[in-house]
Amino acid sequence: MSLRAVKPQHETRTRILDAAEELFMQHGFEATSMRLLTAKAGVNLAAVNYHFGSKLALIEAVFRRRLDPMNLARIAELEQLEAQSRAAAPEEIIRAFLSPTLELVEDAKGGGRNFIRLLGRAYTEPAKPVRQLIGQMHAPVMDRYKSALERALPHMPREELVWRMHFMFGTLAYTLAATDTVQLIAGCKPEDRYDARLLEDRLAAFLNAGLNAPLGNTIRKAA
Amino acid sequence: MSLRAVKPQHETRTRILDAAEELFMQHGFEATSMRLLTAKAGVNLAAVNYHFGSKLALIEAVFRRRLDPMNLARIAELEQLEAQSRAAAPEEIIRAFLSPTLELVEDAKGGGRNFIRLLGRAYTEPAKPVRQLIGQMHAPVMDRYKSALERALPHMPREELVWRMHFMFGTLAYTLAATDTVQLIAGCKPEDRYDARLLEDRLAAFLNAGLNAPLGNTIRKAA
DNA sequence: GTCTATATCCTGATAGAC
DNA sequence: GTCTATCAGGATATAGAC
């Protein structure tokens, strides 16, 4: 008798996660009501609480679904790089960090692109619980990459490296969050905004140059 | 009989704007209620509607108060640069753009620092009206700086320049929004996080290097 | 201009039938 | 597991006394 008789197990969960991903990206966490969300997902209002327990737990699940595999991939790429006989170049490390993220940019149908923009926004989310969540999920990866970059750039002062990593992370976060803002700066063909390989090349070139910028000014003025 | 008998004209407006600046920064726009806001400002709940008309209008006023002078300063610094006999260097243009923003970082008491963090967050704000607001206020300035950078870098393809400006803007936005996240990457002395001159030097070095990164990779792969 | 009181609506969450 | 109905509270905005 059901209209969705062939619904697989856990499809409700997935439908909720997909709808949440899209609506959180469009309107933010606070502004997305469970009513709107469940309506879009085509499920009952009570389903969110039944399957996830609370709105915050749903937010956490949305991030875990994508972020855990992404961070595993980042670690894997870095380990592959470090298994080589020669030392890894800074740009290789940067690309290892970027590529698992940018792969999702091309996944428009699966919702990966939605998530990527959501992720970019979450880094500057005002709500403390959400930022803590993201911070916790990223912390171990950041530590690994920080160590890798320290080995690749042995002469850079630690403090300067931390700042430059911060800058790099910011460039990525904003680029993910605000891909639509490029048009604000100038018209550019929309289709190549989402070419992941091209975007990775552009980002890697910019970030690698920034990471290796001359140290003179800051050292002099800080002294 | 009033407890605040010596209250100057428009002080209520200012108290509301100051409280809004801080609370919007801490909790975001959606999560900041008028009740909390007016309580913090020490004014009546109805005062916001009387003085500003609506919550969105209040948000606009919060941005206008700081952004209009800031963007005027950016234009002024650029015009000063272009009045020189020699051509402006890219790093000079970058610094002209940065410095009016970073000056506010040092204004902890006046609330400037609050606004700066709020501004960083607003760039990736999900709510469309707010982003449109920020976009409109920035558009003329961005045009001017784009033209200036085109003159300073005549050999860079327009499209690449737009991307690099986008990256630069992102670095700034995230740095402003997430000054507390630096500690997530690694412990660093909190007091020098807010040394505007030092921060400008660090940012300018990073951004200038990124802006002038070799073009090889992208050109080759794009072809 | 400032206040109190309130209208109107929407929020996340849950109880309990099916 | 899914539904309806509802709770208790908070949201913006306003009406009207002072």
Side-chain angles (χ1 to χ4, degrees), chain A residues 65-91:
Chain A
R65 178 171 67 149
R66 305 271 189 190
L67 226 46
D68 286 349
M70 184 191 296
N71 279 335
L72 284 179
R74 284 210 249 246
I75 298 287
E77 293 220 17
L78 188 57
E79 282 178 347
Q80 197 181 337
L81 216 54
E82 288 172 340
Q84 291 176 330
S85 54
R86 61 182 179 80
E91 185 169 348

Side-chain angles (χ1 to χ4, degrees), chain A residues 3-24:
Chain A
L3 288 172
R4 288 193 296 268
V6 225
K7 184 197 282 192
Q9 275 186 328
H10 294 126
E11 211 207 90
T12 299
R13 259 187 81 96
T14 308
R15 292 169 69 87
I16 291 174
L17 286 172
D18 289 343
E21 203 165 63
E22 185 165 347
L23 289 175
F24 288 159

Side-chain angles (χ1 to χ4, degrees), chain A residues 69-184:
Chain A
M70 184 191 296
N71 279 335
L72 284 179
R74 284 210 249 246
I75 298 287
E77 293 220 17
L78 188 57
E79 282 178 347
Q80 197 181 337
L81 216 54
E82 288 172 340
Q84 291 176 330
S85 54
R86 61 182 179 80
E91 185 169 348
E92 289 176 308
I93 300 174
I94 292 173
R95 283 179 182 269
F97 188 85
L98 291 180
S99 67
T101 308
L102 295 179
E103 261 174 34
L104 282 181
V105 172
E106 291 205 318
D107 173 33
K109 282 177 197 164
R113 187 181 297 171
N114 274 344
F115 177 75
I116 282 305
R117 297 187 57 186
L118 173 61
L119 181 61
R121 295 219 161 113
Y123 291 128
T124 58
E125 172 69 22
K128 219 180 170 184
V130 177
R131 256 184 309 159
Q132 280 181 333
L133 218 67
I134 310 289
Q136 281 170 13
M137 294 188 196
H138 275 285
V141 181
M142 290 308 249
D143 277 350
R144 290 289 305 262
Y145 273 81
K146 187 178 164 233
S147 302
L149 285 175
E150 278 173 359
R151 281 192 296 276
L153 298 161
H155 299 304
M156 180 168 300
R158 293 275 166 109
E159 200 187 337
E160 189 67 30
L161 178 60
V162 169
W163 274 103
R164 293 189 180 183
M165 281 186 69
H166 191 239
F167 295 155
M168 290 168 65
F169 201 75
T171 310
L172 178 61
Y174 182 80
T175 302
L176 300 180
T179 36
D180 55 345
T181 317
V182 185
Q183 292 173 316
L184 187 147

Side-chain angles (χ1 to χ4, degrees), chain A residues 50-71:
Chain A
Y50 177 78
H51 285 281
F52 299 94
S54 74
K55 188 178 184 179
L56 183 61
L58 169 62
I59 294 174
E60 177 165 356
V62 166
F63 281 104
R64 285 222 174 277
R65 178 171 67 149
R66 305 271 189 190
L67 226 46
D68 286 349
M70 184 191 296
N71 279 335

